[in-house]
Amino acid sequence: MLEGWPPPIFDPAGPFAGSITTLAWVLLAMAAAVFAVVMAALWIALFGNDRLKARLGGDWVIWAGGIAFPVVVLSLLLFYGLSLTRNLSVAPGADEMRVRVTGEMWWWRVAYLDENGGEVVLDANELHIPVGEPVALELESNDVIHSFWVPRLSGKLDMVPGRRNVMRIQADKPGVYGGQCAEYCGGPHALMGFVVVAHRPRDFAALIQAWQSPPAPAQSAGTARGERLFFSAGCAACHRIEGTRANGLAGPDLTHVGSRRTLGAGILPNNRGTMMGWIGDAQAIKPGNRMPPYHALSGDDLKALAIFLEMQK
Amino acid sequence: MRKKVQLVRHVPLLLSALLAACKPLPDDRHHMPGASAERGREAIERVGCGSCHVIPGIRWPKGRVGPTLGGLPRQALIAGKLPNRPDELARFVRDAPSLVPGINMPAMPLSSEEARDIAAYLYQMDAR
């Protein structure tokens, strides 16, 4: 199994997920209690003696059990739930870390934002955050309704075309946290995964700084052929690599693909073998995704491309 | 007298030898002491062998870039070059290019124990 994926849903790793897990257990307990009461009443109705049936048969049962009880209990639950989750979705503050995550069929576009909302670093399918700090996510969609869900770090929230929803996530300790699109979005929806990597603050600062400094294209004799192929086979029409003339925006940004933990949006480990398999025939792995199979490429071509992409860190 | 005692002492041994002779010899061609097919299956899923190969018993992915591994236990050669034996297969799974120069299957991020586990899995695929 991939690290962190598929994610467990009752194992919160931060305050936002924690409050939602608490609410979930409270709701489950309430539901179990109500179910037990209803079953008891049903048992009395079917098998109880006449005295019991008479005592439970009046109009007052409807007023108390059918109207007053639900109104009071559901209202209390509503306010309790809202108070537990009220800070989850308020607008980002001026000094908060902001990241825009956009749902695509069937992957996630990621843009780290500056304080004015400008895109600083582009990435895909993976989010890096500092431990112990809330991160405001601006959730959008470019096509259909998706839903962003990293169960151990926060709740799930729909990504609606033409709308910007805000949700916060936070991790209390370093680690890899898996996510999953939680709203059926067609085709390979079930294979639309996501990974959040939480770093110690110092490591996180170093990572972001490295990403923001001008990329030093890691060139070696081994990558020249892959680089040529990347452009001649047309990869650059859909994929972007910072610092090169590859500037396609239809597919995931590949600037840091070599350091990513996963391929194919959170679903495959990232190594040379999976990279070759994905480029050669992504349709066999994730049927219906928008990357065509490249049957025209030879094994040597696939290897050269994989070596070139491994160098993009 | 002495001879008789010795014979009696050997009866269990003779009997077990007789019984053993009735069973087919264990197939040591694919025998891998200490390796676990179940751990091998987990390693296959962790490194993503399925990205390139269809592997019986692995539901997803079923990649078509490399050959299907279905008939592997009965195959004479690995990649048409190496004898299909446990140690060779384990080494091949871990570092194919060092055994078959020019092959496009890359070296995989596996320990030698994991490679043996994977070989064990691949040998018992047809048995499941």
Side-chain angles (χ1 to χ4, degrees):
Chain A
M1 273 302 142
L2 277 181
E3 192 181 3
W5 199 85
I9 60 168
F10 281 116
D11 186 17
F16 301 120
S19 60
I20 287 166
T21 307
T22 306
L23 182 60
W25 283 119
V26 168
L27 287 176
L28 270 175
M30 289 293 306
V34 168
F35 181 75
V37 169
V38 170
M39 283 303 110
L42 183 65
W43 188 88
I44 289 168
L46 291 174
F47 310 112
N49 61 35
D50 290 342
R51 199 173 54 88
L52 265 179
K53 280 187 192 167
R55 283 184 66 180
L56 285 176
D59 283 355
W60 72 271
V61 177
I62 300 192
W63 284 105
I67 295 171
F69 179 81
V71 165
V72 170
V73 167
L74 292 180
S75 304
L76 286 176
L77 269 179
L78 175 68
F79 286 111
Y80 175 64
L82 288 177
S83 75
L84 270 182
T85 55
R86 70 177 179 279
N87 53 357
L88 251 172
S89 56
V90 293
D95 54 349
E96 248 184 311
M97 177 177 163
R98 286 161 70 184
V99 183
R100 183 172 299 140
V101 183
T102 308
E104 305 273 350
M105 288 162 117
W106 289 267
W107 57 281
W108 315 82
R109 193 184 293 278
V110 173
Y112 294 79
L113 307 179
D114 60 19
E115 49 288 9
N116 303 318
E119 298 184 344
V120 182
V121 174
L122 298 182
D123 203 359
N125 299 329
E126 189 170 280
L127 174 63
H128 295 265
I129 62 171
V131 157
E133 200 181 298
V135 176
L137 302 182
E138 302 184 0
L139 302 177
E140 299 179 357
S141 169
N142 268 347
D143 36 53
V144 298
I145 298 177
H146 301 275
S147 181
F148 185 91
W149 191 28
V150 180
R152 298 193 65 199
L153 301 184
S154 199
K156 54 177 164 259
L157 191 63
D158 278 7
M159 307 167 113
V160 183
R163 226 192 113 79
R164 174 175 299 167
N165 288 334
V166 173
M167 183 174 79
R168 272 175 188 68
I169 62 171
Q170 179 173 332
D172 284 340
K173 48 180 191 294
V176 181
Y177 304 97
Q180 167 65 37
C181 181
E183 177 81 36
Y184 180 69
C185 54
H189 152 75
L191 295 175
M192 184 172 166
F194 191 73
V195 179
V196 177
V197 187
H199 303 267
R200 273 181 284 274
R202 191 159 17 96
D203 302 341
F204 178 75
L207 178 77
I208 289 294
Q209 198 177 13
W211 278 0
Q212 282 182 270
S213 50
Q219 294 302 355
S220 69
T223 63
R225 175 168 176 200
E227 186 175 9
R228 262 201 320 277
L229 268 166
F230 188 82
F231 292 98
S232 65
C235 311
C238 290
H239 295 288
R240 178 182 166 279
I241 296 178
E242 174 82 33
T244 72
R245 61 201 163 83
N247 58 4
L249 290 175
D253 193 288
L254 297 181
T255 308
H256 307 296
V257 71
S259 61
R260 243 176 244 160
R261 276 165 179 70
T262 68
L263 287 184
I267 58 170
L268 289 174
N270 185 3
N271 58 51
R272 189 174 297 175
T274 55
M275 183 69 91
M276 290 169 66
W278 178 265
I279 301 169
D281 195 346
Q283 293 300 323
I285 296 170
K286 187 165 169 172
N289 90 87
R290 289 185 169 164
M291 172 144 163
Y294 285 88
H295 295 314
L297 295 176
S298 71
D300 287 334
D301 293 340
L302 292 177
K303 186 156 65 180
L305 276 168
I307 290 171
F308 169 66
L309 291 172
E310 274 169 21
M311 304 295 283
Q312 311 303 319
K313 300 252 179 178
Chain B
M1 190 67 183
R2 226 188 126 159
K3 233 177 194 172
K4 210 170 182 182
V5 169
Q6 254 183 358
L7 251 178
V8 168
R9 230 177 45 199
H10 283 138
V11 162
L13 196 72
L14 285 167
L15 258 176
S16 60
L18 268 171
L19 284 172
C22 297
K23 280 196 292 187
L25 283 170
D27 181 8
D28 64 346
R29 204 163 67 95
H30 293 159
H31 183 55
M32 304 205 71
S36 146
E38 194 43 49
R39 286 201 307 265
R41 182 203 171 82
E42 283 161 21
I44 285 171
E45 287 178 345
R46 187 176 60 73
V47 298
C49 305
S51 303
C52 292
H53 300 286
V54 174
I55 306 170
I58 305 288
R59 267 186 58 218
W60 175 89
K62 292 181 186 292
R64 292 186 295 247
V65 163
T68 297
L69 301 185
L72 185 76
R74 295 180 309 279
Q75 210 167 295
L77 295 174
I78 302 164
K81 305 257 189 211
L82 306 166
N84 190 359
R85 294 182 46 81
D87 293 345
E88 299 282 345
L89 183 60
R91 283 169 61 204
F92 178 83
V93 159
R94 188 167 175 227
D95 191 1
S98 77
L99 295 176
V100 184
I103 194 171
N104 284 309
M105 171 161 159
M108 298 303 290
L110 292 165
S111 70
S112 47
E113 288 75 32
E114 287 172 318
R116 285 171 55 79
D117 293 339
I118 289 181
Y121 179 85
L122 295 178
Y123 279 140
Q124 57 84 68
M125 284 182 306
D126 288 0
R128 23 181 80 210

